[in-house]
Amino acid sequence: MATTTDYEALALKAGRELEEASAQEVLQWAADTFGKRFCVTSSMEDAVVAHLASTVLPGVDVVFLDTGYHFAETIGTRDAVAATMPVNVITLTPKLTVAEQDAQYGPQLHDRDPDLCCAMRKVEPLDRGLAGYDAWATGLRRDESPSRANTPVVAWDAKRRKVKLSPIARWTQDDVDAYAQTNGVLMNPLLWEGYTSIGCSPLSCTAKPGEGEQGRAGRWAGSGKTECGIHL
Ligand code: SF4
């Protein structure tokens, strides 16, 4: 049985060997190596990585974090993915409901301490949900923001001690749009309303980008925060 030390070495080797591989090849490697102990995470901004994974591992687990603050369109995209794609959607929820969090920490914690809010509503549930897997895939892309510019295709997630894949790291938004159009992949309808990155619905967390901005510019805009903490 492989140990996490074996997987760390495997991840570093695969990171070198699969840097130029296609997204399907990266996911095929994960399916062959980890089987059902591999999952995809999705924010339901689109279902591109879930679709790619389903082509190499039908029935693959697709993990979605329901923070309690999502746009209705995001929940609708999650439900449509579950109903129409050959994947197994798993919804993770925080330990506290929004009402319980408001009671304990005060309302609108996202405006006052978004790092704490993200830690409780995103990071902890994901850490808990990934416990049963050896590898997980994300939809991170290098063109999304400066903080993601060096995203490896395959890496060692030292915090969680798992292999972390970003099979579309080298893709651009145009690549995503082209794949979605060619394959009829579900996209979050908010993308047609001017949003370029979709997270939780409070304005302090997700806004439409300003003139000349793109990618994740509308996320926690003006706060200096660029990531929720899952990918640090
Ligand atoms: S994105 Fe905003 S609402 Fe969502 S968990 Fe983070 S701070 Fe809270």
Side-chain angles (χ1 to χ4, degrees):
M1 183 175 168
T3 67
T4 56
T5 305
D6 296 332
Y7 284 147
E8 181 175 2
L10 192 66
L12 296 175
K13 182 170 181 283
R16 290 190 298 271
E17 295 179 350
L18 295 174
E19 167 61 25
E20 302 295 329
S22 70
Q24 286 92 341
E25 288 170 335
V26 173
L27 289 161
Q28 185 68 61
W29 174 81
D32 293 344
T33 306
F34 304 106
K36 289 294 288 178
R37 292 186 64 80
F38 162 69
C39 69
V40 173
T41 55
S42 176
S43 67
M44 298 299 166
E45 182 173 303
D46 61 64
V48 166
V49 176
H51 185 277
L52 283 161
S54 75
T55 66
V56 301
L57 190 64
V60 64
D61 288 348
V62 174
V63 173
F64 171 70
L65 284 169
D66 186 353
T67 63
Y69 278 115
H70 281 302
F71 293 96
E73 290 86 346
T74 300
I75 298 300
T77 303
R78 185 269 318 264
D79 292 345
V81 166
T84 63
M85 289 175 55
V87 299
N88 177 39
V89 174
I90 296 172
T91 296
L92 304 177
T93 54
K95 287 181 175 169
L96 300 179
T97 65
V98 170
E100 288 168 343
Q101 178 172 295
D102 286 354
Q104 290 188 33
Y105 294 89
Q108 299 183 314
L109 183 63
H110 45 76
D111 289 351
R112 295 178 287 109
D113 191 344
D115 285 344
L116 179 58
C117 188
C118 282
M120 291 192 289
R121 311 203 74 74
K122 289 188 171 185
V123 180
E124 187 282 329
L126 185 68
D127 290 351
R128 186 164 25 95
L130 290 181
Y133 300 97
D134 292 326
W136 62 299
T138 78
L140 297 183
R141 300 197 324 268
R142 293 172 187 168
D143 75 334
E144 290 182 292
S145 64
S147 64
R148 297 187 174 184
N150 297 314
T151 299
V153 171
V154 184
W156 176 241
D157 178 351
K159 178 191 168 198
R160 301 179 182 89
R161 304 200 64 74
K162 300 181 190 306
V163 178
K164 180 178 178 181
L165 298 100
S166 299
I168 62 168
R170 295 187 297 115
W171 288 28
T172 64
Q173 184 64 52
D174 286 347
D175 294 329
V176 170
D177 293 344
Y179 183 88
Q181 189 164 17
T182 300
N183 296 282
V185 174
L186 286 159
M187 304 286 276
N188 191 314
L190 291 174
L191 293 170
W192 286 276
E193 293 185 17
Y195 290 94
T196 54
S197 179
I198 301 164
C200 292
S201 61
L203 189 60
S204 57
C205 303
T206 303
K208 294 177 185 178
E211 189 73 28
E213 294 179 332
Q214 54 189 355
R216 291 172 59 82
R219 303 294 293 279
W220 307 285
S223 71
K225 178 177 170 71
T226 58
E227 295 284 346
C228 62
I230 286 174
H231 302 297
L232 298 179

